[in-house]
Amino acid sequence: MSVNLGARYVWHNGEFIAWDDARVHVMTNALHYGTGVFEGIRAYWNGDQLYVFRLREHVARLMNSVKLYGFGIEYAADELIAAIKETLKKNEFRTDLYIRPLVIKGVGPIGLDIRKLKTEVYIIAIPYGKYFEKEGIEVMVSSWRRLSGQTVPILAKVTGHYTNSVLAKLEALNRGFDDAILLNEQGKVCEGSGENIMAVKDGIIITPSISSGILDGITRKSLIEVAADAGLRVVEREMERSELYVADELFFVGTAAEITPILKVDGRTIGDGSVGPVTRKLKAMFTDVVKGKVEKYRKWLEPVW
Ligand code: PY5
């Protein structure tokens, strides 16, 4: 059984395998205990070049995730960067993509001693459009709290950590919302199920700081720089739940979500309920950046062809 997502080849431990052969055994440790780390990266086709957005930074975060869990990996960052580009070439992609490097602990006996298990490395890339179909979304504040840094190393992007995100997402969807905002264990605003969050109040952008327990998002970090170019001040700090409801504008930022306006939280209208001017401006600037139209940020783009 396979699913056709528009790719022909997957990279596995240095070799290309056919899409339908990219399977794992039922005794794969990662399936049992969530012992996998991954990345989500986008590549953009601008008509004559395919640009991978901040490839180096994503691979660096992947290596940090590997390190935080002590997985061990046979490949250096530069080798993974080259492999990702090779995967896109092998598939002859000339379209917008989502790239998913996946590093998992492989087949082994029952038990938690992962030290002797092989680290399997996969690079999956598929044609990809929007994560959210709607232009603006409605979210709820989840009844689930974001995993704490005292429970797991939350800066690591780990498959197992995402059961937390899945619970929040499901709760939101089952109640008729598009997604959820998770608070941290102190009750401060943390992030979305798979996105960072930014608010606009009186012309200033506010976003929860790293110490709020967020994933150190690469989109968030990029937008902080881009916003400064537009003369917008960005403040990273602890954020109260009530600040969500009185924000002028609110939006999610992330690789999959890109910049997604939030129009309602818990049924309360944000601003005037339409996409605000700051959100609109940042979206336009970000689109130019990822398509290679801004000289200053060409350094963030890795050309494939
Ligand atoms: N916070 C969480 C919990 C995330 O999963 C993500 C990314 C982000 C923030 C944003 O980080 P970045 O800007 O570096 O992407 N989530 C993945 C993504 O590809 C997976 C979503 C299902 O966007």
Side-chain angles (χ1 to χ4, degrees), residues 61 146-149 152-157 161-162 181-186 188-192 195-198 207-218 220-221 224 236-239 253:
R61 189 171 64 187
R146 164 80 162 130
L147 280 176
S148 136
V152 288
I154 40 176
L155 284 181
K157 201 165 165 63
H161 296 186
Y162 278 80
I181 294 170
L182 287 88
L183 307 178
N184 62 23
E185 285 187 351
Q186 287 70 46
K188 307 296 179 190
V189 176
C190 194
E191 60 185 342
E195 312 87 3
N196 292 120
I197 190 167
M198 292 187 171
T207 191
S209 50
I210 299 294
S211 58
S212 301
I214 62 169
L215 183 80
D216 188 5
I218 290 165
R220 171 185 176 279
K221 215 177 320 196
I224 289 173
E236 298 173 67
R237 62 161 170 79
E238 235 176 35
M239 200 175 155
V253 304

Side-chain angles (χ1 to χ4, degrees), residues 38-42 53 58 61 98-100 128 131 146 157 162 165 182 191-197 214-222 253-258:
F38 68 102
E39 271 303 315
I41 312 170
R42 272 189 190 261
F53 186 65
H58 279 284
R61 189 171 64 187
Y98 188 89
I99 306 161
R100 168 59 53 83
Y128 201 72
Y131 182 65
R146 164 80 162 130
K157 201 165 165 63
Y162 278 80
S165 294
L182 287 88
E191 60 185 342
S193 63
E195 312 87 3
N196 292 120
I197 190 167
I214 62 169
L215 183 80
D216 188 5
I218 290 165
T219 316
R220 171 185 176 279
K221 215 177 320 196
S222 306
V253 304
T255 298
E258 300 175 293

Side-chain angles (χ1 to χ4, degrees), residues 1-3 8 17-23:
M1 195 181 62
S2 184
V3 55
R8 288 193 291 151
I17 55 175
W19 179 264
D20 285 341
D21 296 331
R23 302 154 181 270

